Amino acid sequence: QQQVKQSPQSLIVQKGGISIINCAYENTAFDYFPWYQQFPGKGPALLIAIRPDVSEKKEGRFTISFNKSAKQFSLHIMDSQPGDSATYFCAAIAFFGNEKLTFGTGTRLTIIP
Amino acid sequence: ETGVTQSPTHLIKTRGQQVTLRCSSQSGHNTVSWYQQALGQGPQFIFQYYREEENGRGNFPPRFSGLQFPNYSSELNVNALELDDSALYLCASSLDTSTDTQYFGPGTRLTVL
């Protein structure tokens, strides 16, 4: 059972545009929602994260929007750059649950000039 | 770089064999988690070790086992390999079980023929 659903599977955005990736979850025990960025041949790296008591978190060009009632959250990348081309994973964690970190299926983002 | 290393980088085995993958965590990190990432999918949680004791397990059969050593190294062992075990295996270290930041290694690519 997939506990974190992510869309789209792939995304092509023009340089300077806004990239938007969406995720939804079912398990209300999740209490932390990180986003990971993965380049080919590398492990995932933490990009930005949010707790459910906050509706938005911004770090540089990256913003997470969180809707607790809808159990949805999204990543916005402003002024997208070719160096942002990577696979992005949303994730959720229940600190006291048995399954520590649950990932979405990933979004392959390509930024074109 | 995250300071987490994994060996080997690539490995080819045949069905029915056994394999041991190794991970070296950041110094001082008491927790190591292992994930399986199939091609085009998000990482799936296998298990976590905290101070050399298993501290949570995902939906993987008992032929997946692990060890954590006092010198911040750990192992993932898989017995009776199956074709579906072909994947990228990632380890991630963190300070303790409640921290929200896991630092991933680059992974070991296992191919089962």
Side-chain angles (χ1 to χ4, degrees), chain A residues 9 32 34 36 38 41-46 51 89 93 95-106, chain B residues 1 35 37 40-45 48 55-59 88 90 97-102 104-106:
Chain A
Q9 189 173 11
Y32 196 72
Y36 285 84
Q38 186 176 27
K42 302 284 189 181
L46 180 66
R51 297 187 184 274
F89 294 95
I93 187 169
F95 285 125
F96 298 104
N98 193 41
E99 183 140 348
K100 301 298 181 176
L101 192 61
T102 301
F103 283 85
T105 51
Chain B
E1 298 301 322
Y35 298 84
Q37 186 176 17
Q41 299 294 316
Q44 297 290 314
F45 174 72
Q48 182 184 86
N55 182 50
R57 189 178 183 92
N59 189 26
L88 180 69
L90 298 160
T97 56
S98 63
T99 190
D100 51 19
T101 303
Q102 295 189 21
F104 283 83

Side-chain angles (χ1 to χ4, degrees), chain A residues 15 37 39 61-62 80-86 88 109 111-112:
Chain A
K15 179 182 175 181
Q37 180 188 55
F39 292 104
R61 297 185 293 110
F62 301 91
S80 300
Q81 299 297 313
D84 297 331
S85 296
Y88 292 81
L109 174 64
I111 307 300
I112 56 175

Side-chain angles (χ1 to χ4, degrees), chain A residues 24-87:
Chain A
Y25 65 97
E26 291 295 325
N27 188 351
T28 55
F30 290 141
D31 46 18
Y32 196 72
F33 300 86
W35 285 86
Y36 285 84
Q37 180 188 55
Q38 186 176 27
F39 292 104
K42 302 284 189 181
L46 180 66
L47 189 62
I48 186 172
I50 196 168
R51 297 187 184 274
D53 55 348
V54 177
S55 61
E56 185 175 282
K57 183 175 181 180
K58 183 176 180 179
E59 288 185 1
R61 297 185 293 110
F62 301 91
T63 300
I64 301 177
S65 297
F66 190 87
N67 185 330
K68 188 175 181 179
S69 61
K71 292 187 284 187
Q72 295 175 347
F73 57 111
S74 60
L75 175 69
H76 291 65
I77 305 174
M78 313 299 287
D79 187 26
S80 300
Q81 299 297 313
D84 297 331
S85 296
T87 300

Side-chain angles (χ1 to χ4, degrees), chain A residues 13 39 90 107:
Chain A
V13 174
F39 292 104
C90 61
T107 296

